[in-house]
Amino acid sequence: MNITSYVTSERESALLVGDYNVYRAQATRRIHSLRKRLGQTTPKGRKYIPKAPVTADDIQRDHEFVNLLLMSAERAWAAAMAMKKAQSTENTQRRMPGSTKRQIYSRLSKAIQYAEHLQKCLQYKVLSCVSDTDNLEAAAYLASMRGALHFEKARWEPCIREYSVARVIYATLGSASRLDLFKDLLSNTVDPSIRYAAYQLRYSRTKAVSDIAIEGFPQGKSELLGQIKGLNPDALLTSEEAEAKGQKASYDTPSTINWRGRTVKIEDATIAQAIESANRKERELAKLHANGQSDVRELTAAYDDVINARQEAVDATKTAIEELMSEGVDTSDTRVQSLQLTRTAVNYAVIELMVGRNRNLCGQHDGAAFERTFSKRSRKPRKDGTNRVLREESTSVQVAKLRERVALYDSILQSIDAVGDLLGVAGDLSFMEELSSKRAYFRALKCLTIGRRYAILGELRNALALYARSLELTNSVLSTQSIEETEASDGLSKLDVKSKDLQRFHGLIEGTVSQYRALVELKDLMDQQKASAKDIYVPPLVERLGEYPAEDIDLMKLVNFPPKLQPIPVKPLFFDLAWNYIDYPGRGTSGVNVAPAAPETAAEVKKEPAKKGWFGFGR
């Protein structure tokens, strides 16, 4: 019947887009549609008739009667939560009125009545469609509603007793089905309520919520105990009993943490819950990574979720340390020392996940393989029907991609430097040497990326210098042999550097250095040839047409190609201007050795017109 999944999905669909009032309205619409399908609506024009209660025979006939009871209980619960939120101290800046409290109690009691009716109907032996899982889910739902009512009335012992039933059942169902649905219910609703009630009853903070729930579980419910032990015989074992038995408790909450060969016990339950939540999300990330069909964005988002979960464990550890220090506990106390070690471990887990995220963004083999991509082909073909030719991406696009990769390497190096600042790391010489080798490896990758940028821009000498530096750093890492050969069991990219990746990168950078040494040498030879050719300049044949070719004609120097802008001889402007002021032969002047002619009258003399305009145009 999927009671828990049905209720959870209905709550999420409404609370994601609104508040409890929206959920209450949604539950009302669901009830109306269910009654319409089940034939329990009042016909139009008739007087209202009270609805007949749901029976076991109705559930046997149609399972939607279960949903009808659930939605009725959820509507009452949503009404109570809406009133609580509207009249809370945060919104009104005053204490909640007594009338509002009584109304909240009334709505929660109404929800409990529907949940009790549902459980009684499911417990009838005549129902063949009901399994033990359905009975357990109905009992857990009823216990959570009762626990909510006791929580509002500040009855802490009954609250713990009811929420203990819900926690044990949800933990058992979660370990049996391996669904995250039950674990989310525990971490978001049940566990915080148990922890707050235990705080009000002055329970020890070092006591785990799971142990409180097992101790608070009512032993008089023999039928419920039999159903729980039918799914998991060890469901009611405390963490100490499960550890003594050599088994793991059903709730999968870690009780110890390991750091560099030292193991300490996690005494704070909040820290243990945060670590368990982070471990669950990391397992999801490992499955996504092992699938191999996820893109970079999806993996990056999954990495961010795990990092946020690990950061919650860091914050919980910091809060626990500050509380102990505020109580005047000395730093040499065993509890403080254990928390300091836990803080170092959880901080390192955050840092290595951040490094793994950036390595995933760098690309294949930590960004050592950089292939020039091509621009996307246009969907529209050419006018002649042929496909368009793929063009290589422009230089600016390639340089921008390499600049982004350099920023990722800088972030990785900052993260590695942050590991050295953690408490107790500086005294571990072997670990510091390992960090130094890993830092040199990522520095070599950074030098390789910057060198590629210079190579794309045509600055081969600068690129060779950076490649040589990268090779030097790689050789230093190989000479120290401080890279651990251990590999993460989940296969995720973190701070670990595999030996085969280091060997692959060393071969790549060696070949790149040899290649660019040859390219730089060829460029130097070409520059020398160009310099020697400029010293002895032989003009092309088109500029030596007035010379008789004494030797064979060099057919490779007929003209300059491509042609260059050069000055050419033209008629000087001075000749056109001087024409108007100089007497030339044949114009009747005395500029030549000819006898002077008889004087003529002014009317008989016919003057030759002077030149007009520039270059003689316009005559």
Side-chain angles (χ1 to χ4, degrees):
M1 294 182 182
N2 299 324
I3 295 174
T4 306
S5 61
Y6 180 78
V7 172
T8 305
S9 61
E10 291 292 332
R11 287 183 182 181
E12 289 179 352
S13 62
L15 298 179
L16 283 177
V17 296
D19 53 5
Y20 291 107
N21 285 319
V22 174
Y23 184 40
R24 180 185 180 185
Q26 175 182 304
T28 302
R29 292 192 298 269
R30 290 281 192 275
I31 291 171
H32 180 70
S33 61
L34 285 170
R35 284 177 176 171
K36 197 171 183 180
R37 288 199 300 269
L38 297 172
Q40 288 193 346
T41 57
T42 303
K44 290 183 179 181
R46 293 189 181 182
K47 188 177 179 180
Y48 174 76
I49 302 175
K51 306 297 183 299
V54 178
T55 62
D57 295 333
D58 294 333
I59 296 176
Q60 179 72 20
R61 178 167 50 88
D62 196 337
H63 291 175
E64 287 196 346
F65 281 100
V66 174
N67 299 338
L68 179 61
L69 291 174
L70 289 174
M71 281 294 98
S72 300
E74 285 295 294
R75 181 172 62 175
W77 176 83
M81 294 298 105
M83 286 186 287
K84 178 182 177 181
K85 184 177 181 181
Q87 298 295 329
S88 63
T89 307
E90 297 177 356
N91 294 331
T92 61
Q93 303 300 323
R94 59 184 180 181
R95 296 183 62 182
M96 186 181 297
S99 59
T100 304
K101 290 183 179 180
R102 288 191 295 272
Q103 187 70 9
I104 292 174
Y105 302 157
S106 174
R107 291 295 88 197
L108 290 175
S109 299
K110 190 69 172 177
I112 292 173
Q113 289 177 10
Y114 284 113
E116 287 177 345
H117 186 65
L118 174 62
Q119 188 185 27
K120 289 179 181 178
C121 291
L122 295 179
Q123 287 178 348
Y124 278 97
K125 302 300 182 180
V126 296
L127 295 180
S128 60
C129 59
V130 179
S131 62
D132 290 343
T133 302
D134 297 330
N135 283 321
L136 287 176
E137 290 186 13
Y141 182 74
L142 173 60
S144 62
M145 288 296 174
R146 287 174 175 171
L149 178 60
H150 292 309
F151 189 92
E152 296 300 328
K153 291 184 176 182
R155 299 174 180 173
W156 305 120
E157 290 185 359
C159 177
I160 288 182
R161 182 171 62 252
E162 296 298 336
Y163 273 122
S164 297
V165 175
R167 196 197 190 282
V168 171
I169 293 175
Y170 284 142
T172 303
L173 294 175
S175 61
S177 61
R178 296 297 177 183
L179 294 178
D180 295 334
L181 169 67
F182 300 103
K183 294 182 180 180
D184 293 338
L185 278 174
L186 292 177
S187 60
N188 296 332
T189 306
V190 179
D191 287 352
S193 301
I194 295 177
R195 175 57 62 188
Y196 186 80
Y199 172 77
Q200 295 294 333
L201 293 174
R202 307 293 181 181
Y203 283 16
S204 175
R205 292 187 71 254
T206 61
K207 197 169 188 178
V209 175
S210 56
D211 293 342
I212 297 175
I214 292 174
E215 292 177 1
F217 190 88
Q219 300 296 326
K221 298 184 178 182
S222 57
E223 184 178 355
L224 188 61
L225 281 173
Q227 293 175 349
I228 292 174
K229 291 184 178 180
L231 292 177
N232 186 3
D234 301 325
L236 295 177
L237 292 179
T238 62
S239 57
E240 295 180 356
E241 293 173 349
E243 186 177 354
K245 197 175 178 180
Q247 298 178 358
K248 196 173 184 180
S250 60
Y251 33 82
D252 292 337
T253 303
S255 58
T256 59
I257 190 169
N258 185 23
W259 167 253
R260 301 289 297 175
R262 289 190 59 188
T263 303
V264 295
K265 187 177 180 179
I266 302 176
E267 298 180 346
D268 196 304
T270 307
I271 301 174
Q273 291 175 8
I275 294 176
E276 192 274 331
S277 177
N279 290 339
R280 184 174 69 253
K281 292 187 177 181
E282 189 167 344
R283 288 192 295 268
E284 295 175 359
L285 173 61
K287 292 179 182 178
L288 193 65
H289 184 272
N291 189 15
Q293 298 179 356
S294 304
D295 57 357
V296 178
R297 293 182 181 179
E298 190 175 357
L299 280 175
T300 304
Y303 267 106
D304 291 336
D305 292 340
V306 181
I307 290 172
N308 293 333
R310 292 291 181 189
Q311 188 62 45
E312 292 180 1
V314 173
D315 297 338
T317 308
K318 181 181 177 182
T319 303
I321 294 175
E322 290 175 352
E323 289 178 356
L324 286 179
M325 300 303 293
S326 64
E327 294 174 1
V329 180
D330 190 31
T331 56
S332 60
D333 189 86
T334 308
R335 293 174 294 171
V336 178
Q337 293 292 326
S338 299
L339 286 174
Q340 294 288 8
L341 188 82
T342 304
R343 186 178 184 181
T344 301
V346 294
N347 273 292
Y348 180 76
V350 172
I351 292 174
E352 67 175 359
L353 282 169
M354 293 173 63
V355 172
R357 173 187 178 275
N358 292 330
R359 291 175 72 177
N360 179 64
L361 289 174
C362 286
Q364 190 177 11
H365 304 311
D366 297 331
F370 180 77
E371 298 179 358
R372 297 184 180 182
T373 57
F374 294 88
S375 58
K376 294 182 179 179
R377 179 184 296 176
S378 178
R379 295 182 179 180
K380 296 182 179 180
R382 295 179 183 272
K383 292 182 178 180
D384 56 0
T386 59
N387 293 327
R388 297 182 182 272
V389 181
L390 292 178
R391 294 183 179 180
E392 191 176 4
E393 286 184 341
S394 61
T395 302
S396 60
V397 174
Q398 296 178 15
V399 170
K401 289 183 178 180
L402 291 172
R403 191 182 297 115
E404 293 175 358
R405 190 168 293 183
V406 170
L408 291 174
Y409 290 134
D410 287 335
S411 179
I412 291 174
L413 293 174
Q414 291 176 4
S415 300
I416 295 176
D417 293 338
V419 175
D421 298 334
L422 297 178
L423 189 64
V425 172
D428 194 342
L429 298 180
S430 61
F431 188 53
M432 290 298 295
E433 184 180 357
E434 180 184 344
L435 288 177
S436 178
S437 299
K438 293 176 180 178
R439 192 177 190 279
Y441 169 70
F442 289 107
R443 284 181 61 196
L445 285 168
K446 179 183 176 182
C447 291
L448 173 65
T449 305
I450 300 175
R452 282 172 174 161
R453 177 169 172 259
Y454 279 109
I456 291 175
L457 296 176
E459 302 179 18
L460 301 180
R461 193 176 298 276
N462 293 335
L464 176 60
L466 287 163
Y467 291 154
R469 177 59 178 163
S470 179
L471 180 61
E472 180 182 350
L473 291 170
T474 309
N475 288 331
S476 66
V477 176
L478 290 174
S479 61
T480 56
Q481 295 293 334
S482 58
I483 298 293
E484 290 186 353
E485 296 293 333
T486 59
E487 182 180 349
S489 58
D490 49 14
L492 292 176
S493 295
K494 293 183 180 179
L495 193 51
D496 299 329
V497 180
K498 302 177 186 177
S499 179
K500 61 179 181 180
D501 291 340
L502 187 60
Q503 294 291 343
R504 184 191 300 110
F505 176 69
H506 182 261
L508 172 65
I509 194 62
E510 267 191 337
T512 306
V513 168
S514 302
Q515 177 187 359
Y516 275 82
R517 277 177 181 167
L519 291 175
V520 171
E521 187 68 24
L522 288 174
K523 190 175 183 299
D524 292 342
L525 291 176
M526 292 175 65
D527 293 341
Q528 292 177 4
Q529 290 179 359
K530 290 179 180 180
S532 60
K534 288 181 179 179
D535 296 339
I536 306 174
Y537 175 71
V538 179
L541 183 61
V542 71
E543 297 180 8
R544 296 183 288 111
L545 295 178
E547 300 178 5
Y548 182 79
E551 300 177 357
D552 295 337
I553 299 175
D554 188 2
L555 299 179
M556 300 301 293
K557 283 191 176 183
L558 297 179
V559 294
N560 284 325
F561 186 84
K564 298 179 181 179
L565 185 63
Q566 294 179 348
I568 59 174
V570 295
K571 179 182 178 182
L573 181 63
F574 171 75
F575 290 163
D576 288 328
L577 296 176
W579 178 269
N580 298 327
Y581 303 100
I582 299 177
D583 293 333
Y584 289 95
R587 299 181 60 191
T589 62
S590 57
V592 294
N593 297 327
V594 180
E600 300 177 352
T601 62
E604 295 176 353
V605 176
K606 188 178 181 181
K607 293 184 178 180
E608 185 176 350
K611 287 190 175 185
K612 301 177 181 179
W614 297 101
F615 303 105
F617 297 114
R619 287 186 289 175

